Amino acid sequence: MKIITTHSFRGGTGKTNITANLSYALAITGKRVAVVDADATHPSLHITFGLGENPLSPTFAEFLLQRCKKEDIIHDISEQYGLKNSLFLIPSKLDDTVIHELYGINQDSFHIGNILNGLKEIGEDNKIDYLLIDTKPDLDERALLYFMASQAVLVITRPDETDIRGTKELLKRISGIPQRHIHIIPNMVPARYLKERVETFRKEFAGFDSKRVKISEPILYSQVLQQEHSPKVDQLFIRRYPQDDYSQSIFHLATTILKLYPSV
């Protein structure tokens, strides 16, 4: 099983949307894909997948608090997407009590290694090929340890000065993680500025180890996505608009991941 973590220096970069749509793009190739909502403070993967405003239960947060068994938190959502046993969600939920407990856990009784082992066991038990972990923006101890357990980290950033500067600071903090590949993914880049933006990103991140920090093909801007993104949508954008520039960019990213990190 390959573990891919998606991260961003701040919220609002489109990280969760990319994670969800990428999972579908991988699943339709015949791979078994599970997505973990590891952002307990702003969980939204269940909304992005069109499952309504209330997450499926039990959730990842409840697993972290040892309130349920690990095998109970993985939910098969394949049928909604015309698939069979190939797309799974491990949701989280926004609950003030849960969050207070979760972030107030005594470190002596709470070990991130137990979480990672639990996720790996879930993956093995369900024969998962790709486990995608959608983290909380910014950086904390949990995010760092998710990175260490991953074969690759996808860092999503918008093509603006604030995001680029923040992403560079983020990279300084995580680039020392051994043997992990980091892919910088510029998101929502207008097609007419594609070459210009790619060149900008290459110059901005030229100071980092090019063997480990890669500038990926940008995810193209979609006016349709900006207009139609809504909690009431019951399907992922990529399934409703597979020919849209944004969707085609996600399919290309999936192809790259399959090539660089084969599951077999």
Side-chain angles (χ1 to χ4, degrees):
M1 178 179 72
K2 294 297 188 286
I3 301 177
I4 310 290
T5 293
T6 57
H7 193 70
S8 61
F9 130 79
R10 66 175 179 176
T13 62
K15 168 181 61 68
T16 296
N17 214 23
I18 287 176
T19 305
N21 283 279
L22 175 60
S23 71
Y24 174 80
L26 291 169
I28 63 172
T29 68
K31 301 299 182 183
R32 291 170 64 86
V33 183
V35 193
V36 182
D37 194 338
D39 184 358
T41 57
H42 295 93
S44 59
L45 268 172
H46 57 284
I47 296 175
T48 307
F49 275 109
L51 301 174
E53 297 188 14
N54 297 315
L56 301 170
S57 183
T59 67
F60 186 54
E62 291 167 297
F63 167 63
L64 298 186
L65 293 170
Q66 301 180 346
R67 294 181 179 175
C68 63
K69 297 178 180 179
K70 65 179 185 298
E71 57 266 25
D72 294 332
I73 65 172
I74 184 165
H75 303 272
D76 190 343
I77 60 173
S78 307
E79 186 174 348
Q80 179 168 339
Y81 286 92
L83 301 169
K84 186 175 181 180
N85 304 125
S86 59
L87 185 58
F88 303 85
L89 174 63
I90 298 177
S92 194
K93 70 176 180 179
L94 181 60
D95 182 298
D96 290 341
T97 302
V98 168
I99 290 174
H100 176 76
E101 290 185 52
L102 191 58
Y103 285 90
I105 291 176
N106 187 307
Q107 292 299 313
D108 292 333
S109 61
F110 178 79
H111 300 284
I112 190 72
N114 294 336
I115 297 173
L116 295 175
N117 288 335
L119 289 175
K120 289 178 180 178
E121 288 175 9
I122 290 172
E124 292 170 359
D125 292 345
N126 291 274
K127 296 181 173 56
I128 298 300
D129 296 304
Y130 290 95
L131 181 70
L132 306 185
I133 302 177
D134 185 38
T135 61
K136 182 172 73 71
D138 204 359
L139 201 60
D140 59 16
E141 184 183 43
R142 288 195 186 96
L144 282 171
L145 289 163
Y146 288 138
F147 297 165
M148 293 177 67
S150 303
Q151 279 70 47
V153 178
L154 311 183
V155 179
I156 315 301
T157 180
R158 294 269 187 164
D160 62 61
E161 183 178 346
T162 301
D163 254 20
I164 290 174
R165 184 172 62 249
T167 300
K168 289 169 73 173
E169 289 302 314
L170 174 67
L171 283 180
K172 291 177 183 178
R173 298 170 67 185
I174 69 174
S175 58
I177 298 175
Q179 299 178 347
R180 297 299 177 269
H181 292 95
I182 301 168
H183 299 267
I184 307 300
I185 302 182
N187 188 28
M188 302 306 281
V189 175
R192 64 181 180 276
Y193 299 130
L194 181 59
K195 291 184 178 180
E196 176 185 333
R197 292 292 188 269
V198 169
E199 185 61 27
T200 296
F201 270 83
R202 285 175 177 165
K203 289 180 179 179
E204 289 286 350
F205 293 95
F208 295 92
D209 182 356
S210 61
K211 292 182 179 180
R212 296 190 57 240
V213 178
K214 304 287 186 181
I215 306 299
S216 295
E217 288 292 324
I219 306 298
L220 294 179
Y221 173 82
S222 169
Q223 186 174 1
V224 177
L225 177 63
Q226 295 304 300
Q227 292 174 341
E228 298 204 7
H229 181 63
S230 166
K232 296 181 180 179
V233 172
D234 63 356
Q235 291 281 309
L236 288 172
F237 184 84
I238 195 171
R239 190 164 191 240
R240 290 181 292 119
Y241 301 100
Q243 298 304 318
D244 186 88
D245 284 349
Y246 177 89
S247 299
Q248 289 296 305
S249 298
I250 298 292
F251 283 127
H252 179 77
L253 176 59
T255 299
T256 299
I257 288 174
L258 291 168
K259 180 180 180 181
L260 294 177
Y261 308 103
S263 61
V264 179

